[in-house]
Amino acid sequence: MGKGKLTLRRRKKASPPPPKRPLEIEASTSAANNNSMIAVGSKASAKKKTGGAARLWMRFDREGQSELIECDKSVIIKRVCIPARDLRILGPIFSHSSSILAREKAMVVNLEFIRAIITAEEVLLLDPLRQEVLPFVDQLRQQLPHKGASRNHGAGHIVLQEEEMLPTSGQWLPVPEAAEGLQAELPFEFQVLEIALQVVCTYLDSSVAELERDAYPVLDELAMSVSSKNLEHVRSLKSNLTRLLARVQKVRDEIEHLLDDNEDMEQLYLTRKWIQYQQTEALAGSITSNNIVPAINHFRRASSTRSGSLTSNYLNEHDVEDLEMLLEAYFMQLDGTRNKILSVREYIDDTEDYVNIQLDNQRNELIQLQLTLTIASFAIAVETLIAGIFGMNIPCTLYKTNGVFWPFVVGISVACILLFFLILGYARWKKLLGS
């Protein structure tokens, strides 16, 4: 018996597992599918979380070529070499602020609805499909290709001499913008900045014009008729005016801050810094080659004899005349827009003063009327006092005299009327009442 039990136990261990029933098979397969779906869902949610920070940007290059890209903050930071705090300035928290920041290789522009990062070779525009940003996108598409074509057309008629070539380790690099006809053209970053300022100033001017068009009829109507409806319209108009003035003032103050600081304006010359960096690298590479040393000396002699106006635009680190003229032009335009808003505010203040004068006049008229009625009430009270005295049951000889009642009543009334005019004349003599 004991052996049989042992053999049975051994046979149990050696026997294969019993086959699963169909229901058990379906349950196991469904559980496996659910686990796989949960894993895939977690991976998808992780991807969604990582990609949720990506935002839509539009890239424009020097030739006007554009493309829509979707990048997160890390890609933008690596691409344009700016700190992460600059991207926070372009975020929704600072959407109504205005700032132009200069960095080593980029310019961070946050002007009203235009939020962009400008480099010497391209511009990255944030949220390009917004309704307010579309005019800026259209201007970039219209003006950048034209300027790039004019630059290429002008460069086609230039014959570069040996003096205008920069020696490198294996090739000759032409000095950028070597033609005299191209000296007056702004660098790429200033072209984009000019378009941005132009679009913002145009938008603010149109907003001020629309505000003026709505303000004057409302103020004229309030001057003619003071009512709660007209007062509510003026209150809404004044709040809109205050917000618009704050927006114009922010852009104007930012431009004024740049004009007051030459160092900040120098840092905005991205093309100049890029050219200086390229020339420094080229000179460093050519110094290592002994066979190009005579060419370097020849290049230095040629560049020293060349006209100073050509080189100063890009090699003089302290030359900020182009940017200063650009900023001054739009500063004056914004100052004119601000003066328009201030003139509308002065008109509102004048209308409010006129309405207050009208209300004060009406209050004075009411006070005069109240004083006149008070004097009349005093005169009537004197007559009432006399009538009340005679209405008492006090023995008097006048009660027994016939024909005295009406003359007595008329006499008291005339005396009260004379008392009224006497007090009224005294009030006018003291200028308590108007004429």
Side-chain angles (χ1 to χ4, degrees):
M1 291 295 290
K3 292 181 180 179
K5 289 180 181 179
L6 289 174
T7 54
L8 285 174
R9 286 178 183 174
R10 288 176 181 174
R11 285 180 182 178
K12 268 187 179 180
K13 291 181 180 179
S15 62
K20 294 182 180 180
R21 295 179 182 179
L23 293 176
E24 294 178 354
I25 295 173
E26 291 178 0
S28 62
T29 54
S30 62
N33 292 332
N34 290 333
N35 292 333
S36 62
M37 290 175 64
I38 291 172
V40 172
S42 62
K43 291 180 181 178
S45 63
K47 288 182 180 179
K48 187 176 181 181
K49 287 181 180 179
T50 56
R55 305 182 68 178
L56 186 63
W57 298 76
M58 179 173 282
R59 174 186 172 273
F60 284 90
D61 58 7
R62 285 177 171 269
E63 304 300 328
Q65 302 295 329
S66 62
E67 61 175 347
L68 286 172
I69 56 177
E70 190 173 6
C71 303
D72 56 359
K73 293 183 179 180
S74 60
V75 176
I76 297 297
I77 291 172
K78 293 179 181 178
R79 186 184 186 99
V80 297
C81 299
I82 61 174
R85 64 176 180 272
D86 291 342
L87 289 181
R88 286 195 292 270
I89 296 176
L90 302 179
I93 299 177
F94 301 93
S95 58
H96 296 289
S97 63
S98 297
S99 59
I100 302 175
L101 304 179
R103 295 296 179 254
E104 183 64 27
K105 296 182 180 180
M107 180 196 311
V108 182
V109 177
N110 184 16
L111 296 175
E112 287 292 317
F113 46 84
I114 296 177
R115 290 173 288 176
I117 302 174
I118 306 172
T119 64
E121 299 177 347
E122 62 181 4
V123 52
L124 297 175
L125 179 62
L126 181 61
D127 296 333
L129 301 182
R130 289 179 56 188
Q131 189 66 28
E132 300 88 354
V133 187
L134 291 179
F136 179 62
V137 176
D138 294 337
Q139 291 293 327
L140 288 176
R141 288 175 177 171
Q142 292 175 6
Q143 298 189 25
L144 289 184
H146 174 72
K147 293 181 179 180
S150 64
R151 186 187 302 112
N152 294 334
H153 178 73
H157 292 80
I158 302 169
V159 179
L160 296 175
Q161 304 295 332
E162 290 183 354
E163 294 85 355
E164 296 178 351
M165 305 294 287
L166 182 65
T168 60
S169 57
Q171 57 182 353
W172 293 88
L173 179 66
V175 177
E177 307 289 345
E180 293 182 0
L182 300 179
Q183 291 177 13
E185 186 170 343
L186 292 173
F188 172 75
E189 62 272 13
F190 293 161
Q191 295 176 12
V192 178
L193 180 61
E194 182 181 9
I195 296 173
L197 290 173
Q198 179 183 358
V199 172
V200 170
C201 292
T202 303
Y203 175 77
L204 294 176
D205 284 338
S206 62
S207 300
V208 172
E210 183 179 357
L211 187 65
E212 287 180 340
R213 189 167 54 251
D214 297 338
Y216 292 113
V218 173
L219 295 174
D220 294 338
E221 187 177 357
L222 177 64
M224 290 185 296
S225 174
V226 180
S227 62
S228 59
K229 182 180 179 180
N230 293 336
L231 289 174
E232 179 64 25
H233 288 167
V234 173
R235 186 198 64 79
S236 176
L237 178 67
K238 197 169 183 179
S239 62
N240 294 334
L241 183 70
T242 303
R243 287 194 294 267
L244 185 58
L245 178 61
R247 294 166 61 183
V248 174
Q249 190 69 35
K250 287 178 182 178
V251 181
R252 179 180 175 276
D253 291 343
E254 183 63 26
I255 296 178
E256 186 178 9
H257 172 71
L258 288 176
L259 289 173
D260 293 339
D261 196 344
N262 289 336
E263 293 182 0
D264 289 346
M265 286 193 290
E266 292 173 9
Q267 294 297 322
L268 291 177
Y269 277 80
L270 304 177
T271 302
R272 176 196 296 172
K273 291 190 291 185
W274 179 77
I275 291 175
Q276 290 176 351
Y277 178 75
Q278 294 292 330
Q279 291 181 353
T280 303
E281 282 190 346
L283 289 174
S286 61
I287 288 173
T288 57
S289 303
N290 296 327
N291 54 347
I292 314 180
V293 172
I296 297 174
N297 297 329
H298 179 69
F299 168 75
R300 289 177 178 175
R301 289 193 302 270
S303 61
S304 62
T305 57
R306 198 188 308 173
S307 62
S309 61
L310 175 63
T311 314
S312 62
N313 291 334
Y314 290 100
L315 300 183
N316 187 5
E317 296 181 357
H318 304 288
D319 183 16
V320 293
E321 183 179 358
D322 295 338
L323 180 58
E324 189 174 2
M325 293 176 62
L326 172 65
L327 294 178
E328 282 180 352
Y330 288 100
F331 177 79
M332 294 176 62
Q333 184 175 353
L334 288 171
D335 199 45
T337 304
R338 177 175 172 270
N339 292 334
K340 290 180 182 178
I341 297 176
L342 292 179
S343 65
V344 177
R345 173 185 275 184
E346 290 179 357
Y347 192 80
I348 292 176
D349 294 338
D350 294 340
T351 305
E352 289 179 349
D353 294 338
Y354 176 72
V355 170
N356 290 330
I357 291 172
Q358 282 186 338
L359 295 177
D360 292 339
N361 187 27
Q362 292 178 0
R363 282 192 291 270
N364 292 334
E365 291 178 355
L366 289 175
I367 292 172
Q368 292 178 4
L369 178 61
Q370 183 180 3
L371 181 58
T372 304
L373 293 176
T374 303
I375 295 172
S377 300
F378 176 74
I380 295 173
V382 172
E383 185 177 7
T384 305
L385 176 63
I386 297 173
I389 292 173
F390 281 96
M392 296 179 182
N393 295 325
I394 299 174
C396 183
T397 58
L398 293 176
Y399 293 155
K400 299 177 181 180
T401 305
N402 295 325
V404 179
F405 177 75
W406 288 111
F408 184 76
V409 172
V410 172
I412 293 175
S413 300
V414 172
C416 291
I417 292 172
L418 291 177
L419 179 63
F420 169 75
F421 282 109
L422 179 63
I423 298 175
L424 188 64
Y426 176 77
R428 289 186 176 178
W429 178 62
K430 288 294 184 179
K431 295 183 181 181
L432 300 176
L433 292 174
S435 57

